[in-house]
Amino acid sequence: MAREFRFGVGLRGVKSAAALQDTARRLEGFGFDVLNVADHLGAPAPFPLLAVAAAATTTMRLGTYVLNACFYKPALLARDVAEVDLLSDGRLEVGLGAGYVREEFEAAELPFPSAARRIEYLEHVTAYLGTHQPNLPILIAGNGDRLLTVAARHADIVGLTGARVADADDPLAERISFVRGAAGNRFSALELNLAITAVPTDNSGIPDLSLTRRFAPTLSDAELLGMPAVLSGSARDMADTLRGYRDTYGLSYFTVQANHAEAFAKVIAELR
């Protein structure tokens, strides 16, 4: 049986507690299931924002998409997530990644290990949370083999980027097949997520590709429009696309950016 759809939305910076709470209530009213906050130096700290949002909402879950695991000692992170989970009445989901911006490590006065070492540490943090906060859903997002192996073996939710994969005609199918092999018997219990980077925000049906292009600067517009993370067309067209993703790949959880929220609410309405 196919999983029910879930929809997440990223939260950007806010000007005040009142503005944050108004935004959270509006996003909950749009039908979003998860309010996510990213983890970058120079951007708002995730946990205070999530605690304030929790006080203004009743059903929407609160998540990190994603914490840089290398910024945290496991025991201190476990303490923080336990408190936010308590304050949100058990609505917290923790998304984790290995970190990738060297400048942020330098600004935090932390060493910038190799990718392999960062992923090893991500696995260590994930295992610690799994032991000390066993009821807390954990998402791990990424695209490479090593990171997806950790996600397949330890996470409850696997976040996929839809990025191009060398020699793969269908990158989603190839990456999901990889996760299936790494997860073994766990695979049927995993929730599969896709981060959507472009959505039309007007009646043209044409998305703004600037964010997607940031991660794939060498691709043409036509190639970007063909990526799984890019949606186009009417709300009904996009809903049909997401139904196809669920039927074909088993994807059921989709996250969009804050500036997509109002337009994407029409897609959510088509799917419910």
Side-chain angles (χ1 to χ4, degrees), residues 117-130:
R117 293 296 300 274
R118 298 197 306 274
I119 293 170
E120 287 176 5
Y121 191 75
L122 165 67
E123 184 169 21
H124 171 59
V125 171
T126 306
Y128 188 97
L129 290 179

Side-chain angles (χ1 to χ4, degrees), residues 39-94:
D39 184 25
H40 292 287
L41 287 184
F47 292 133
L49 265 64
L50 293 176
V52 172
T57 55
T58 56
T59 60
M60 188 166 56
R61 298 183 67 79
L62 297 313
T64 57
Y65 201 108
V66 291
L67 291 180
N68 180 345
C70 295
F71 281 177
Y72 301 90
K73 294 296 185 183
L76 300 179
L77 178 59
R79 179 189 64 178
D80 287 352
V81 300
E83 292 304 316
V84 177
D85 192 49
L86 176 67
L87 293 172
S88 65
D89 297 322
R91 288 185 281 146
L92 183 65
E93 300 182 1
V94 175

Side-chain angles (χ1 to χ4, degrees), residues 122-140:
L122 165 67
E123 184 169 21
H124 171 59
V125 171
T126 306
Y128 188 97
L129 290 179
T131 299
H132 293 83
Q133 299 291 332
N135 297 319
L136 191 72
I138 293 177
L139 174 149
I140 295 178

Side-chain angles (χ1 to χ4, degrees), residues 175-200:
R175 291 289 78 188
I176 292 169
S177 176
F178 181 89
V179 170
R180 182 189 298 272
N185 293 335
R186 297 188 77 243
F187 183 77
S188 61
L190 295 178
E191 182 178 35
L192 300 181
N193 164 270
L194 179 66
I196 302 295
T197 59
V199 173

